[in-house]
Amino acid sequence: MNAYLSRKLKVLSFLLIVMVVILHAHNLKGNSDALNFYVQNLISGGFTKLCVVLFFLISGYLFVVNIKEGKPAVFGQKIQSRIRSVLVPYLLWSLIGMMIFFILQSLPVTRSFFNSGLLRQSSPSELSYIWLLKPLPYQLWFLRHLFILVLLSPLLYGIIRYTNWFALIVIVILLLNIIRLPENPLLNNTSLASFSLGIWFGLHGQQIVLNRYPKAVWWSGLLWIIFVVGRVIFDSETWLSIGIWRPLLLTLEYGIGIVSIWTGYDYLNQNKNMDRPLPAYLGFAFFLYLAHEPLLTIFKKLLLKVLGNGSLGQLLTYFAAPTLVIVLCIAIGMLLKRSVPKVYGILTGGR
Protein backbone atom coordinates (compact mmCIF):
# COMPACT_ATOMS: atom_id res chain seq x y z
CA MET A 1 0.00 0.00 0.00
CA ASN A 2 1.44 3.39 -0.96
CA ALA A 3 1.51 6.47 1.28
CA TYR A 4 -1.33 8.21 -0.60
CA LEU A 5 -3.72 5.29 -0.13
CA SER A 6 -2.73 4.87 3.52
CA ARG A 7 -3.47 8.54 4.17
CA LYS A 8 -6.70 8.33 2.20
CA LEU A 9 -7.97 5.38 4.23
CA LYS A 10 -7.21 7.14 7.54
CA VAL A 11 -9.17 10.23 6.49
CA LEU A 12 -12.07 8.27 5.03
CA SER A 13 -12.24 5.99 8.09
CA PHE A 14 -12.77 9.00 10.34
CA LEU A 15 -15.37 10.40 7.94
CA LEU A 16 -17.20 7.06 7.92
CA ILE A 17 -17.23 6.90 11.73
CA VAL A 18 -18.76 10.38 11.83
CA MET A 19 -21.35 9.12 9.34
CA VAL A 20 -22.07 6.16 11.65
CA VAL A 21 -22.72 8.53 14.57
CA ILE A 22 -25.04 10.67 12.43
CA LEU A 23 -26.79 7.52 11.18
CA HIS A 24 -27.52 6.59 14.80
CA ALA A 25 -28.74 10.11 15.65
CA HIS A 26 -32.09 9.35 13.97
CA ASN A 27 -34.89 10.15 16.47
CA LEU A 28 -38.14 10.49 14.50
CA LYS A 29 -41.37 10.12 16.45
CA GLY A 30 -44.99 10.02 15.39
CA ASN A 31 -45.45 13.78 15.72
CA SER A 32 -42.73 14.77 13.21
CA ASP A 33 -43.54 17.24 10.46
CA ALA A 34 -42.49 16.87 6.80
CA LEU A 35 -39.29 18.94 7.12
CA ASN A 36 -38.04 16.94 10.09
CA PHE A 37 -39.02 13.66 8.42
CA TYR A 38 -37.21 14.33 5.15
CA VAL A 39 -34.11 15.92 6.71
CA GLN A 40 -33.50 12.96 9.01
CA ASN A 41 -34.37 10.34 6.39
CA LEU A 42 -32.25 11.98 3.69
CA ILE A 43 -29.21 12.07 5.97
CA SER A 44 -29.54 9.05 8.29
CA GLY A 45 -31.74 7.01 5.98
CA GLY A 46 -29.87 8.03 2.85
CA PHE A 47 -26.41 9.56 2.62
CA THR A 48 -24.90 7.87 5.69
CA LYS A 49 -26.21 4.33 5.13
CA LEU A 50 -23.38 3.27 2.83
CA CYS A 51 -20.81 3.67 5.62
CA VAL A 52 -21.28 0.06 6.79
CA VAL A 53 -20.80 -1.36 3.30
CA LEU A 54 -17.65 0.71 2.73
CA PHE A 55 -16.24 -0.25 6.13
CA PHE A 56 -16.59 -3.97 5.37
CA LEU A 57 -15.14 -3.42 1.91
CA ILE A 58 -12.08 -1.61 3.32
CA SER A 59 -11.68 -4.28 6.02
CA GLY A 60 -11.64 -7.07 3.44
CA TYR A 61 -9.17 -5.19 1.26
CA LEU A 62 -6.77 -4.45 4.13
CA PHE A 63 -6.92 -8.05 5.32
CA VAL A 64 -5.47 -9.48 2.09
CA VAL A 65 -3.62 -6.60 0.44
CA ASN A 66 -0.20 -7.59 1.82
CA ILE A 67 -0.64 -11.38 1.58
CA LYS A 68 1.84 -12.72 -0.96
CA GLU A 69 1.04 -16.39 -0.48
CA GLY A 70 -2.07 -17.80 1.14
CA LYS A 71 -0.26 -20.07 3.57
CA PRO A 72 -2.03 -21.21 6.76
CA ALA A 73 0.63 -19.58 8.94
CA VAL A 74 -0.09 -16.18 7.38
CA PHE A 75 -3.78 -16.43 8.17
CA GLY A 76 -2.98 -17.69 11.66
CA GLN A 77 -0.93 -14.56 12.35
CA LYS A 78 -3.63 -12.29 10.94
CA ILE A 79 -6.39 -13.99 12.92
CA GLN A 80 -4.27 -13.72 16.06
CA SER A 81 -3.79 -9.98 15.48
CA ARG A 82 -7.55 -9.54 14.96
CA ILE A 83 -8.23 -11.22 18.31
CA ARG A 84 -6.50 -8.24 19.91
CA SER A 85 -7.80 -5.54 17.57
CA VAL A 86 -11.38 -6.78 17.02
CA LEU A 87 -12.48 -9.49 19.48
CA VAL A 88 -11.04 -8.00 22.69
CA PRO A 89 -12.57 -4.51 22.12
CA TYR A 90 -15.87 -6.18 21.24
CA LEU A 91 -15.99 -8.13 24.51
CA LEU A 92 -14.72 -5.24 26.65
CA TRP A 93 -17.08 -2.59 25.28
CA SER A 94 -20.04 -4.95 25.38
CA LEU A 95 -19.30 -5.47 29.08
CA ILE A 96 -18.80 -1.73 29.63
CA GLY A 97 -22.16 -1.08 27.96
CA MET A 98 -23.86 -3.55 30.29
CA MET A 99 -22.30 -1.86 33.31
CA ILE A 100 -23.43 1.58 32.14
CA PHE A 101 -26.98 0.41 31.53
CA PHE A 102 -27.08 -1.37 34.89
CA ILE A 103 -26.07 1.86 36.64
CA LEU A 104 -28.54 3.99 34.66
CA GLN A 105 -31.34 1.50 35.35
CA SER A 106 -30.53 1.60 39.07
CA LEU A 107 -30.25 5.35 39.70
CA PRO A 108 -33.58 7.07 40.52
CA VAL A 109 -32.73 10.12 38.39
CA THR A 110 -32.14 8.07 35.20
CA ARG A 111 -34.30 5.00 35.83
CA SER A 112 -37.28 6.38 33.89
CA PHE A 113 -35.16 6.76 30.75
CA PHE A 114 -33.97 3.13 30.78
CA ASN A 115 -36.88 1.16 32.25
CA SER A 116 -37.10 -1.66 29.68
CA GLY A 117 -35.03 -4.84 29.61
CA LEU A 118 -33.79 -4.48 33.16
CA LEU A 119 -30.45 -6.24 33.55
CA ARG A 120 -30.96 -7.00 37.23
CA GLN A 121 -33.95 -9.13 36.27
CA SER A 122 -32.03 -11.10 33.62
CA SER A 123 -30.79 -14.65 34.17
CA PRO A 124 -27.08 -15.57 33.79
CA SER A 125 -27.79 -17.14 30.39
CA GLU A 126 -29.62 -13.99 29.24
CA LEU A 127 -26.75 -11.81 30.44
CA SER A 128 -24.26 -14.03 28.61
CA TYR A 129 -26.32 -13.77 25.43
CA ILE A 130 -26.41 -9.97 25.70
CA TRP A 131 -22.66 -9.80 26.36
CA LEU A 132 -21.61 -12.14 23.56
CA LEU A 133 -24.25 -11.79 20.84
CA LYS A 134 -26.50 -8.79 21.48
CA PRO A 135 -24.42 -5.95 22.95
CA LEU A 136 -26.30 -3.01 24.40
CA PRO A 137 -23.90 -0.70 22.49
CA TYR A 138 -25.57 -1.97 19.33
CA GLN A 139 -22.91 -0.61 16.95
CA LEU A 140 -20.65 -3.46 18.09
CA TRP A 141 -22.49 -5.86 15.78
CA PHE A 142 -20.02 -4.76 13.09
CA LEU A 143 -17.05 -6.11 15.08
CA ARG A 144 -18.87 -9.40 15.71
CA HIS A 145 -19.53 -9.89 12.00
CA LEU A 146 -16.01 -8.76 11.15
CA PHE A 147 -14.37 -11.29 13.45
CA ILE A 148 -16.48 -14.12 12.01
CA LEU A 149 -15.40 -13.03 8.53
CA VAL A 150 -11.78 -13.01 9.68
CA LEU A 151 -12.20 -16.63 10.81
CA LEU A 152 -13.65 -17.45 7.40
CA SER A 153 -10.95 -15.51 5.56
CA PRO A 154 -8.80 -18.51 4.46
CA LEU A 155 -11.84 -20.02 2.74
CA LEU A 156 -12.96 -16.70 1.23
CA TYR A 157 -9.41 -15.94 0.09
CA GLY A 158 -9.06 -19.29 -1.67
CA ILE A 159 -12.43 -19.08 -3.41
CA ILE A 160 -11.98 -15.48 -4.58
CA ARG A 161 -8.34 -15.92 -5.61
CA TYR A 162 -8.96 -18.93 -7.82
CA THR A 163 -12.44 -18.19 -9.19
CA ASN A 164 -12.10 -14.42 -9.77
CA TRP A 165 -15.09 -13.42 -11.94
CA PHE A 166 -17.28 -16.26 -10.72
CA ALA A 167 -16.69 -15.08 -7.16
CA LEU A 168 -17.61 -11.55 -8.21
CA ILE A 169 -20.90 -12.81 -9.68
CA VAL A 170 -21.70 -14.62 -6.41
CA ILE A 171 -20.93 -11.42 -4.47
CA VAL A 172 -23.40 -9.49 -6.64
CA ILE A 173 -26.02 -12.22 -6.11
CA LEU A 174 -25.58 -11.84 -2.35
CA LEU A 175 -25.81 -8.04 -2.55
CA LEU A 176 -29.06 -8.32 -4.51
CA ASN A 177 -30.48 -10.80 -1.96
CA ILE A 178 -31.17 -13.31 -4.72
CA ILE A 179 -29.68 -15.81 -2.28
CA ARG A 180 -30.26 -14.86 1.35
CA LEU A 181 -28.41 -16.12 4.39
CA PRO A 182 -30.70 -17.38 7.17
CA GLU A 183 -31.31 -14.91 10.00
CA ASN A 184 -28.50 -15.21 12.52
CA PRO A 185 -26.41 -12.93 14.77
CA LEU A 186 -23.08 -13.76 13.10
CA LEU A 187 -23.35 -12.89 9.40
CA ASN A 188 -25.70 -11.32 6.89
CA ASN A 189 -25.67 -10.76 3.14
CA THR A 190 -24.26 -7.24 3.42
CA SER A 191 -21.34 -8.10 5.69
CA LEU A 192 -20.34 -11.26 3.79
CA ALA A 193 -20.67 -9.72 0.33
CA SER A 194 -18.98 -6.41 1.19
CA PHE A 195 -16.02 -8.03 2.97
CA SER A 196 -15.65 -10.50 0.09
CA LEU A 197 -15.74 -7.64 -2.41
CA GLY A 198 -12.90 -6.00 -0.48
CA ILE A 199 -10.91 -9.25 -0.77
CA TRP A 200 -11.65 -9.28 -4.51
CA PHE A 201 -10.23 -5.77 -4.93
CA GLY A 202 -7.20 -6.76 -2.84
CA LEU A 203 -6.52 -9.75 -5.10
CA HIS A 204 -7.76 -8.70 -8.55
CA GLY A 205 -8.44 -4.97 -8.48
CA GLN A 206 -5.34 -3.43 -6.95
CA GLN A 207 -4.82 -0.96 -9.78
CA ILE A 208 -8.43 0.22 -9.55
CA VAL A 209 -7.88 1.06 -5.88
CA LEU A 210 -4.50 2.72 -6.40
CA ASN A 211 -5.54 4.91 -9.34
CA ARG A 212 -6.91 8.41 -8.72
CA TYR A 213 -10.15 9.64 -10.29
CA PRO A 214 -10.71 13.29 -9.25
CA LYS A 215 -13.00 14.13 -12.18
CA ALA A 216 -15.38 11.24 -11.43
CA VAL A 217 -16.68 13.03 -8.32
CA TRP A 218 -18.97 15.27 -10.41
CA TRP A 219 -21.04 12.64 -12.18
CA SER A 220 -20.98 10.20 -9.26
CA GLY A 221 -21.94 12.89 -6.76
CA LEU A 222 -24.89 14.04 -8.87
CA LEU A 223 -26.10 10.48 -9.43
CA TRP A 224 -25.76 9.70 -5.73
CA ILE A 225 -27.92 12.67 -4.77
CA ILE A 226 -30.55 11.65 -7.36
CA PHE A 227 -30.63 8.05 -6.10
CA VAL A 228 -30.85 8.99 -2.41
CA VAL A 229 -33.50 11.69 -2.85
CA GLY A 230 -35.55 9.51 -5.19
CA ARG A 231 -35.45 6.51 -2.84
CA VAL A 232 -36.41 8.52 0.23
CA ILE A 233 -39.32 10.18 -1.58
CA PHE A 234 -40.65 6.96 -3.12
CA ASP A 235 -39.63 4.61 -0.31
CA SER A 236 -43.20 3.66 0.55
CA GLU A 237 -44.15 2.75 -3.02
CA THR A 238 -45.39 -0.84 -3.30
CA TRP A 239 -43.32 -1.68 -6.37
CA LEU A 240 -40.09 -1.15 -4.43
CA SER A 241 -40.90 -4.19 -2.31
CA ILE A 242 -41.44 -6.47 -5.33
CA GLY A 243 -38.66 -8.82 -6.38
CA ILE A 244 -35.13 -7.42 -6.36
CA TRP A 245 -36.04 -3.77 -6.99
CA ARG A 246 -35.14 -2.48 -3.53
CA PRO A 247 -31.82 -4.38 -3.16
CA LEU A 248 -30.93 -3.48 -6.76
CA LEU A 249 -31.54 0.24 -6.23
CA LEU A 250 -29.79 0.17 -2.85
CA THR A 251 -26.76 -1.62 -4.31
CA LEU A 252 -26.53 0.95 -7.12
CA GLU A 253 -26.98 3.78 -4.62
CA TYR A 254 -24.26 2.45 -2.32
CA GLY A 255 -21.91 1.75 -5.22
CA ILE A 256 -22.31 5.23 -6.70
CA GLY A 257 -22.04 6.80 -3.25
CA ILE A 258 -18.81 4.93 -2.53
CA VAL A 259 -17.38 6.12 -5.87
CA SER A 260 -18.42 9.67 -4.97
CA ILE A 261 -16.72 9.60 -1.55
CA TRP A 262 -13.63 7.80 -2.87
CA THR A 263 -13.13 10.18 -5.81
CA GLY A 264 -14.14 13.19 -3.72
CA TYR A 265 -11.02 12.65 -1.64
CA ASP A 266 -8.94 12.55 -4.83
CA TYR A 267 -10.50 15.81 -6.03
CA LEU A 268 -10.00 17.66 -2.73
CA ASN A 269 -6.41 16.46 -2.30
CA GLN A 270 -5.02 16.60 -5.84
CA ASN A 271 -2.93 19.72 -5.15
CA LYS A 272 -2.19 19.25 -1.44
CA ASN A 273 1.11 18.43 0.22
CA MET A 274 0.92 14.75 1.19
CA ASP A 275 3.85 15.12 3.60
CA ARG A 276 1.87 17.38 5.90
CA PRO A 277 0.88 15.60 9.16
CA LEU A 278 -2.76 14.56 9.49
CA PRO A 279 -4.83 16.18 12.27
CA ALA A 280 -4.43 14.35 15.58
CA TYR A 281 -8.17 13.81 16.04
CA LEU A 282 -8.28 11.44 13.04
CA GLY A 283 -6.43 8.88 15.14
CA PHE A 284 -9.39 8.57 17.51
CA ALA A 285 -11.85 7.27 14.92
CA PHE A 286 -12.03 3.78 16.40
CA PHE A 287 -12.49 5.10 19.94
CA LEU A 288 -15.34 7.30 18.66
CA TYR A 289 -16.95 4.25 17.08
CA LEU A 290 -16.65 2.21 20.27
CA ALA A 291 -17.75 4.92 22.72
CA HIS A 292 -20.49 6.83 20.89
CA GLU A 293 -23.20 4.45 22.12
CA PRO A 294 -24.83 4.40 24.62
CA LEU A 295 -23.59 8.01 25.05
CA LEU A 296 -25.54 9.17 21.99
CA THR A 297 -28.74 7.59 23.29
CA ILE A 298 -28.26 9.35 26.64
CA PHE A 299 -27.73 12.71 24.94
CA LYS A 300 -30.77 12.21 22.70
CA LYS A 301 -33.00 11.40 25.67
CA LEU A 302 -31.73 14.36 27.71
CA LEU A 303 -31.98 16.85 24.84
CA LEU A 304 -35.48 15.71 23.90
CA LYS A 305 -36.45 16.18 27.55
CA VAL A 306 -35.07 19.74 27.53
CA LEU A 307 -36.03 20.81 24.00
CA GLY A 308 -39.33 18.95 23.87
CA ASN A 309 -40.41 15.95 21.86
CA GLY A 310 -42.07 18.00 19.14
CA SER A 311 -40.81 18.23 15.58
CA LEU A 312 -38.51 21.20 16.29
CA GLY A 313 -37.06 19.54 19.40
CA GLN A 314 -36.38 16.36 17.43
CA LEU A 315 -34.67 18.28 14.63
CA LEU A 316 -32.47 20.30 16.99
CA THR A 317 -31.58 17.13 18.91
CA TYR A 318 -30.75 15.38 15.65
CA PHE A 319 -27.97 17.89 14.93
CA ALA A 320 -26.90 18.72 18.50
CA ALA A 321 -26.58 15.21 19.97
CA PRO A 322 -24.07 13.76 17.45
CA THR A 323 -22.03 16.97 17.47
CA LEU A 324 -21.70 16.89 21.26
CA VAL A 325 -20.94 13.17 21.28
CA ILE A 326 -18.24 13.43 18.60
CA VAL A 327 -16.46 16.27 20.41
CA LEU A 328 -16.80 14.62 23.82
CA CYS A 329 -15.63 11.17 22.67
CA ILE A 330 -12.55 12.58 20.95
CA ALA A 331 -11.73 14.64 24.05
CA ILE A 332 -12.14 11.59 26.31
CA GLY A 333 -10.05 9.49 23.93
CA MET A 334 -7.24 12.05 23.93
CA LEU A 335 -7.34 12.27 27.73
CA LEU A 336 -7.23 8.50 28.16
CA LYS A 337 -4.42 8.04 25.67
CA ARG A 338 -2.33 10.72 27.38
CA SER A 339 -3.03 9.71 30.99
CA VAL A 340 -3.44 5.90 30.80
CA PRO A 341 -1.99 4.82 27.43
CA LYS A 342 -1.95 1.11 28.32
CA VAL A 343 -5.65 1.12 29.23
CA TYR A 344 -6.45 3.08 26.07
CA GLY A 345 -4.45 0.56 24.04
CA ILE A 346 -6.37 -2.37 25.48
CA LEU A 347 -9.73 -0.66 24.94
CA THR A 348 -8.95 0.13 21.32
CA GLY A 349 -7.16 -3.08 20.39
CA GLY A 350 -3.76 -1.44 20.10
CA ARG A 351 -4.85 1.34 17.78
Side-chain angles (χ1 to χ4, degrees):
M1 187 192 310
N2 61 31
Y4 180 85
L5 180 58
S6 176
R7 189 182 182 96
K8 183 178 190 176
L9 291 176
K10 288 178 183 176
V11 174
L12 292 186
S13 293
F14 183 83
L15 172 64
L16 292 174
I17 293 295
V18 170
M19 292 171 70
V20 168
V21 178
I22 296 172
L23 172 66
H24 294 158
H26 200 268
N27 64 49
L28 286 173
K29 305 291 182 181
N31 54 348
S32 303
D33 62 15
L35 175 64
N36 186 22
F37 176 85
Y38 282 111
V39 166
Q40 293 202 37
N41 275 322
L42 278 172
I43 300 174
S44 287
F47 292 110
T48 62
K49 286 184 74 68
L50 61 75
C51 57
V52 172
V53 173
L54 186 48
F55 261 131
F56 276 119
L57 202 156
I58 291 173
S59 298
Y61 175 83
L62 291 177
F63 193 84
V64 303
V65 68
N66 293 320
I67 294 180
K68 304 302 181 184
E69 297 180 14
K71 295 181 179 179
V74 174
F75 288 100
Q77 292 169 1
K78 282 188 167 286
I79 291 171
Q80 187 174 7
S81 73
R82 294 315 191 269
I83 290 174
R84 182 192 179 196
S85 63
V86 176
L87 182 60
V88 171
Y90 173 81
L91 295 174
L92 283 177
W93 284 90
S94 180
L95 187 60
I96 290 170
M98 292 175 70
M99 293 168 62
I100 292 173
F101 268 79
F102 180 82
I103 293 170
L104 292 174
Q105 290 173 350
S106 302
L107 295 175
V109 69
T110 55
R111 187 180 300 156
S112 61
F113 292 106
F114 299 88
N115 54 6
S116 60
L118 297 179
L119 292 176
R120 64 176 178 271
Q121 297 177 354
S122 301
S123 67
S125 61
E126 290 171 334
L127 292 174
S128 297
Y129 180 80
I130 293 170
W131 177 42
L132 298 174
L133 293 175
K134 196 175 181 180
L136 295 173
Y138 53 83
Q139 75 275 15
L140 295 178
W141 73 268
F142 175 87
L143 294 184
R144 182 176 68 250
H145 283 226
L146 181 58
F147 189 70
I148 297 301
L149 289 163
V150 165
L151 295 178
L152 293 174
S153 61
L155 175 63
L156 296 174
Y157 176 91
I159 293 172
I160 295 169
R161 179 179 179 180
Y162 295 109
T163 62
N164 195 350
W165 293 108
F166 175 77
L168 192 58
I169 292 171
V170 174
I171 290 169
V172 172
I173 289 172
L174 288 171
L175 287 172
L176 295 179
N177 286 335
I178 296 173
I179 298 175
R180 298 197 64 172
L181 297 180
E183 285 291 328
N184 69 89
L186 302 178
L187 278 182
N188 59 31
N189 277 47
T190 299
S191 58
L192 176 59
S194 303
F195 187 84
S196 299
L197 185 59
I199 292 177
W200 187 92
F201 275 107
L203 294 175
H204 305 296
Q206 278 275 13
Q207 203 54 50
I208 297 173
V209 176
L210 294 174
N211 287 345
R212 306 178 193 182
Y213 313 90
K215 294 182 180 179
V217 67
W218 300 109
W219 65 261
S220 60
L222 179 60
L223 277 177
W224 188 27
I225 292 170
I226 292 171
F227 265 84
V228 171
V229 172
R231 182 177 57 79
V232 170
I233 291 175
F234 298 106
D235 195 49
S236 61
E237 295 291 323
T238 305
W239 65 270
L240 267 177
S241 300
I242 300 175
I244 66 168
W245 279 111
R246 188 179 296 278
L248 174 61
L249 292 175
L250 276 174
T251 301
L252 288 172
E253 178 188 315
Y254 294 165
I256 294 167
I258 288 170
V259 171
S260 181
I261 291 173
W262 193 260
T263 59
Y265 178 90
D266 295 334
Y267 177 79
L268 293 173
N269 289 273
Q270 54 188 328
N271 297 317
K272 289 188 176 179
N273 179 12
M274 291 296 106
D275 294 327
R276 186 175 56 186
L278 289 170
Y281 61 81
L282 294 181
F284 295 89
F286 191 56
F287 183 83
L288 173 59
Y289 160 77
L290 293 167
H292 80 272
E293 282 288 2
L295 192 59
L296 182 61
T297 296
I298 295 170
F299 269 81
K300 286 195 294 184
K301 289 178 179 290
L302 290 175
L303 286 172
L304 287 172
K305 188 75 172 178
V306 173
L307 299 173
N309 204 19
S311 190
L312 180 59
Q314 292 173 25
L315 193 59
L316 292 173
T317 297
Y318 178 71
F319 289 106
T323 303
L324 291 170
V325 166
I326 291 167
V327 172
L328 183 58
C329 284
I330 292 174
I332 293 172
M334 288 180 172
L335 180 63
L336 285 174
K337 189 172 185 178
R338 184 169 61 248
S339 57
V340 282
K342 289 185 178 179
V343 173
Y344 179 85
I346 294 171
L347 289 174
T348 59
R351 288 174 177 82

